[in-house]
Amino acid sequence: MTEKTRWSLRTLSGPKPFELAMMLLSLMSVIVVLVMTFAPLDTETSRLLFFIDTGICLIFLTNFSVGLFQAHSKSYYFKLHWIDLIASIPAIEAFRFARIFQILRVVRLIRMSRSLLVPLIKQRQQTTLASLLVAMVTILAFSSIIILIVESGTEGANIQTAEQAIWWSLVTISTVGYGDYYPVSTAGHVLGGLVIISGVSFFGVISGYMASVFVAPEESERLDVHADELKSELARALFRMEQNQASMMAEIAELKQAITKQEH
């Protein structure tokens, strides 16, 4: 099957979970770029948005590299996804807006697909990973931005830079809580509580996913054993049927011989 045939089949079955995840991250990145370009921001907030955009670019670049490595035809994949490589380059505003084409392409796939929910259900592992990726980036981005805005103008605050805001968000969502950076305002405390709750839920989903990864091989092995048992039982049933057929043919042959002897 050629790459073009795979592409046509994919448009019928719907976009993959990671394609939807990249579309959401592209939308987030475009919003970040628009805010950086047109909104009046202080230096630290601009640096924070730049770090967030660079992190999203690294995710785009990793996704493009993995897709290129897995593609059977590297040239066709590059021809089809070259805009993804352009959109993965950070710090160049003109290239950043190329992510709009990523969004439009996935939207086109969604409109052409027969169903959006069916492929997500069929590919549960990919859907889980894609959801975790989007959730992780979203929580880190929004929590670091909000905590920096809230704490920057508060007396006695120790979260004053973009690096400190990102580190606080990462430590809080992981529920480690080193205590080197912490909010001092009421709004910061509320945000910290929400991030902690999100982190507990987030890592709970990861734990469930990891458990399913380890349990899935056992389930597949059980199904394989069951299938082998069914095959063995079917083979035994066919063998018994063949024996019964052979005995019936022998009895029919004996009856024919007996009838022939009576006629003579």
Side-chain angles (χ1 to χ4, degrees):
M1 185 182 294
T2 63
E3 290 287 335
K4 293 183 178 179
T5 305
R6 289 193 184 93
W7 173 258
S8 61
L9 291 176
R10 188 176 66 180
T11 57
L12 293 176
S13 60
K16 295 181 179 179
F18 273 102
E19 289 178 333
L20 292 174
M22 293 303 109
M23 182 196 71
L24 295 175
L25 292 180
S26 298
L27 181 61
M28 183 187 303
S29 179
V30 170
I31 295 174
V32 169
V33 173
L34 290 175
V35 172
M36 292 174 60
T37 304
F38 299 104
L41 303 173
D42 58 83
T43 304
E44 290 301 326
T45 305
S46 298
R47 291 179 64 245
L48 178 58
L49 292 178
F50 175 77
F51 291 151
I52 293 172
D53 181 71
T54 303
I56 296 176
C57 287
L58 293 177
I59 295 175
F60 290 156
L61 186 60
T62 302
N63 181 68
F64 174 82
S65 301
V66 171
L68 182 63
F69 176 78
Q70 294 178 345
H72 293 278
S73 176
K74 302 293 191 293
S75 58
Y76 182 77
Y77 181 88
F78 187 84
K79 179 181 178 181
L80 196 64
H81 296 274
W82 63 270
I83 193 68
D84 297 343
L85 179 61
I86 298 297
S88 303
I89 301 176
I92 302 178
E93 284 75 7
F95 289 169
R96 288 172 175 177
F97 285 103
R99 296 162 198 169
I100 296 176
F101 294 98
Q102 292 178 307
I103 301 173
L104 294 177
R105 186 180 66 237
V106 179
V107 170
R108 178 174 175 268
L109 283 177
I110 295 174
R111 294 182 61 183
M112 293 178 62
S113 63
R114 297 175 179 176
S115 175
L116 181 61
L117 186 61
V118 172
L120 296 181
I121 295 177
K122 288 183 177 179
Q123 305 177 68
R124 293 183 179 179
Q125 288 190 348
Q126 288 191 20
T127 302
T128 302
L129 287 177
S131 302
L132 290 175
L133 176 63
V134 174
M136 182 69 174
V137 174
T138 303
I139 295 173
L140 283 176
F142 280 94
S143 61
S144 59
I145 293 172
I146 296 175
I147 198 65
L148 183 61
I149 295 175
V150 169
E151 293 291 308
S152 60
T154 304
E155 183 180 357
N158 55 21
I159 303 176
Q160 299 290 342
T161 65
E163 292 85 354
Q164 292 171 353
I166 294 175
W167 175 249
W168 175 86
S169 299
L170 184 61
V171 170
T172 305
I173 195 176
S174 63
T175 66
V176 174
Y178 283 117
D180 49 355
Y181 298 104
Y182 52 88
V184 297
S185 63
T186 302
H189 292 159
V190 174
L191 176 63
L194 294 176
V195 174
I196 291 174
I197 295 173
S198 302
V200 172
S201 304
F202 181 81
F203 284 99
V205 174
I206 293 180
S207 300
Y209 173 77
M210 295 302 296
S212 67
V213 169
F214 286 105
V215 172
E218 297 180 359
E219 182 69 14
S220 62
E221 290 176 3
R222 187 183 65 81
L223 293 176
D224 292 339
V225 171
H226 184 63
D228 292 336
E229 292 177 353
L230 289 177
K231 290 180 181 178
S232 300
E233 185 66 26
L234 181 60
R236 288 193 293 268
L238 291 175
F239 180 72
R240 289 194 296 267
M241 290 177 61
E242 291 176 355
Q243 287 183 329
N244 294 334
Q245 184 180 7
S247 62
M248 290 177 60
M249 295 298 294
E251 292 177 359
I252 292 173
E254 291 177 359
L255 289 174
K256 286 184 177 180
Q257 291 179 359
I259 294 173
T260 303
K261 288 179 181 180
Q262 290 179 358
E263 290 178 351
H264 292 291

